[in-house]
Amino acid sequence: MKQNLRSQPPLTRRRFLKRSALLAGAAVSGPLIVPGRVLGLDGATSPANRITIGFIGTGRQACHANIPGFLHEDDAQAVAVCDVDAWRMEEARKQIDAFYAQDQPSGNFKGCATFRDWRDLLARKDIDAVMISTPDHWHVPMAIAAVEAGKDIACEKPLTRSIAEGRKLADLVAQQQRVFRTDSEYRSRKFYFHGVEVVRNGKLGKLQRVITAMRPDPTLPAQPDMPVPPELNYDMWLGPAPEAPYTEKRVHTPHDTRKRPGWMCIRDYDDGMLANWGAHLNDIALWAMNADRTGPVSVSGTGQYPPAGNLWNVIQTFEVHFTFAHDVLLTSKTDRSAYVRFEGSDGWIQINDSGPMNADPKSLLTWKPGPDDVALPYKRSEKRDFLDAVKSRGRTQEDAETGHRVTTLCHLGLAAIDLHRTLRWDPAKEQVVSDDEANKRLQPKPYRRPWTL
């Protein structure tokens, strides 16, 4: 299997069909020893109703959240993992096989396939859906390819690196009728869910202001070039991003899936906290405002970047103001703690990320919807939401359109900060009004390889 992408042509339907023909009969790595739960014994879900999942990217978020999240759903079956880091990929394979081995009398289970090239995983016809847990610069190229391969998709947040590619992805998902879940768990966190129901039922009176706060990102000076670890296909890791010498703090800590990776603080791969935690907290804000399929009408903001030349160069502190057509002001800013605060004409409620809520009046903390109130559908996890939609062919709570609209706030906010001016935004046309320079900034980042949209 080739590891270097330089000679690889763009992914097409024809190439997928060719790969599928080559891989359709391929066996997984090791003999398939099927446990009772996979066979549908002891009341477990039968194979006919089990959704097979392939995992693309097996780093911190995959190993500690996404893989366990699907493993503990009885109607999902993890069948394949893929990563450019061979050590991480093997750790994920062992994690999956060990989980299923618990139900195997011999204590052995070797049914999880491994792939170094994500395109070969997508070509497997026996995989129903994929979980994309890669660095952000890979999200849209892989998600578009997965749609073209006929897979349903759960994709880590923040969903996109630009507004234009988000529109491309959301439209393609809708056209191909694929199930898509932007993978944020916050709609299933009960205290946030409670706050949204309070707002949606008008218990604050007229909603006037929403504040989303998140902690700032760290920074790091330039680092020395280093040899690429033997287990890492660094060329594939870079993928569409600009050429850059390898250094550990650019990628992730070798032989470790617990530490926060350095790429999350580098603008070639990520957009910082306004995108990362903003993808959680601003989603809750838009959901409560019933505005998660539209956007603001004006954006302004200020922010501070690290010194020029630093390796970790995403924005460190910021305060961005989004004005919506119904006269609600959403402010996203850095602070000492993370929270969402809703303020209305008759009261306020603040949900802190650690769980405690505060409100005025206090009765809002224990309020519950009655028969005539708006009762939003609750899902115990984003994984459950995704699997239910795969079965029903319905829409997830945070589909590609919603994920795109949430991430759009980040891109607009950064553009307003960098251009030092207020942007007037048309959420229907998804254009900055009478500002060619701003609209140019909202196009896809230049790709160094043929992963263009």
Side-chain angles (χ1 to χ4, degrees):
M1 189 180 303
K2 292 183 178 180
Q3 301 299 319
N4 193 313
L5 293 182
R6 294 186 184 280
S7 61
Q8 297 276 8
L11 195 64
T12 65
R13 290 182 184 277
R14 181 174 296 176
R15 289 188 66 235
F16 263 119
L17 291 173
K18 184 176 179 181
R19 283 175 178 266
S20 298
L22 292 172
L23 293 169
V28 296
S29 55
L32 181 60
I33 305 172
V34 183
R37 68 184 298 274
V38 179
L39 295 175
L41 304 178
D42 300 323
T45 304
S46 67
N49 294 320
R50 192 174 298 277
I51 298 161
T52 53
I53 311 288
F55 295 87
I56 303 177
T58 56
R60 182 182 69 157
Q61 191 66 15
C63 288
H64 300 289
N66 295 336
I67 291 176
F70 279 112
L71 288 178
H72 287 91
E73 296 292 345
D74 186 59
D75 52 353
Q77 177 75 19
V79 298
V81 293
C82 174
D83 204 291
V84 296
D85 186 314
W87 181 87
R88 287 184 163 206
M89 181 177 65
E90 180 62 13
E91 289 299 299
R93 183 198 65 78
K94 290 190 292 186
Q95 178 183 6
I96 291 168
D97 283 353
F99 179 86
Y100 291 135
Q102 297 174 19
D103 294 332
Q104 177 66 28
S106 67
N108 296 313
F109 180 81
K110 297 180 179 179
C112 182
T114 58
F115 295 93
R116 295 298 300 277
D117 189 321
W118 57 275
R119 294 164 296 185
D120 289 336
L121 184 149
L122 290 183
R124 280 275 297 265
K125 290 186 176 182
D126 59 340
I127 293 176
D128 300 318
V130 294
M131 175 74 243
I132 299 173
S133 309
T134 62
D136 299 353
H137 67 289
W138 268 116
H139 287 176
V140 169
M142 288 179 175
I144 286 178
V147 172
E148 293 174 342
K151 311 300 183 187
D152 294 324
I153 303 146
C155 184
E156 264 300 331
K157 60 79 195 167
L159 190 55
T160 70
R161 300 293 322 285
S162 72
I163 292 176
E165 68 177 6
R167 172 46 52 210
K168 171 79 173 182
L169 175 61
D171 286 348
L172 185 64
V173 167
Q175 291 164 5
Q176 299 297 320
Q177 298 183 328
R178 304 318 310 170
V179 172
F180 193 101
R181 185 44 154 96
T182 306
D183 199 76
S184 169
E185 71 274 18
Y186 274 46
R187 293 196 183 202
S188 293
R189 298 182 75 174
K190 289 189 175 180
F191 38 93
Y192 284 115
F193 183 84
H194 176 79
V196 169
E197 284 200 320
V198 165
V199 176
R200 290 284 283 269
N201 280 280
K203 298 304 175 181
L204 300 182
K206 184 184 185 303
L207 185 63
Q208 297 171 331
R209 188 183 186 195
V210 184
I211 303 172
T212 59
M214 52 216 78
R215 297 178 184 89
D217 266 311
T219 188
L220 189 72
Q223 299 290 294
D225 296 357
M226 297 179 178
V228 178
E231 70 273 9
L232 176 66
N233 182 346
Y234 181 57
D235 194 56
M236 176 76 93
W237 185 91
L238 283 172
E243 294 278 4
Y246 173 82
T247 189
E248 179 183 313
K249 297 298 185 181
R250 180 183 300 280
V251 186
H252 55 250
T253 304
H255 298 183
D256 189 296
T257 59
R258 293 190 175 276
K259 293 180 181 177
R260 190 174 192 254
W263 62 260
M264 295 185 74
C265 294
I266 301 176
R267 297 178 74 182
D268 282 339
Y269 325 114
D270 186 273
D271 289 300
M273 279 294 181
L274 186 54
N276 287 327
W277 276 53
H280 290 312
L281 304 177
N282 287 331
D283 174 54
I284 294 300
L286 293 185
W287 193 27
M289 295 160 60
N290 199 20
D292 56 3
R293 305 185 83 78
T294 180
V297 294
S298 72
V299 184
S300 62
T302 57
Q304 183 69 44
Y305 284 94
N310 275 20
L311 176 66
W312 289 359
N313 59 359
V314 295
I315 195 166
Q316 288 189 282
T317 60
F318 54 83
E319 181 167 320
V320 185
H321 304 287
F322 305 95
T323 302
F324 286 76
H326 45 295
D327 297 324
V328 176
L329 178 66
L330 167 61
T331 297
S332 290
K333 64 178 185 176
T334 46
D335 206 336
R336 290 176 295 179
S337 62
Y339 59 85
V340 177
R341 181 182 175 94
F342 299 100
E343 299 175 354
S345 58
D346 297 337
W348 59 267
I349 186 167
Q350 179 167 317
I351 306 100
N352 300 309
D353 196 66
S354 57
M357 294 186 292
N358 199 2
D360 183 23
K362 295 293 184 183
S363 58
L364 295 172
L365 299 175
T366 55
W367 174 86
K368 293 182 180 180
D372 298 325
D373 290 319
V374 175
L376 298 172
Y378 178 77
K379 298 286 185 176
R380 68 172 180 264
S381 75
E382 73 285 2
K383 307 302 190 285
R384 184 68 264 155
D385 180 39
F386 176 64
L387 295 171
D388 287 345
V390 170
K391 289 181 174 182
S392 70
R393 308 314 298 170
R395 198 170 83 189
T396 64
Q397 288 188 338
E398 192 176 351
D399 62 1
E401 180 69 33
T402 297
H404 160 60
R405 294 290 185 166
V406 172
T407 315
T408 289
L409 297 182
C410 162
H411 302 313
L412 287 174
L414 291 176
I417 291 170
D418 294 346
L419 294 171
H420 306 287
R421 60 177 174 263
T422 298
L423 307 180
R424 291 189 297 129
W425 179 245
D426 184 331
K429 295 180 179 179
E430 292 188 289
Q431 294 179 354
V432 182
V433 179
S434 303
D435 194 330
D436 291 341
E437 183 182 12
N439 283 315
K440 185 176 180 180
R441 293 180 62 88
L442 305 179
Q443 295 302 307
K445 306 294 190 292
Y447 286 172
R448 71 184 179 113
R449 289 183 173 144
W451 304 105
T452 56
L453 300 177

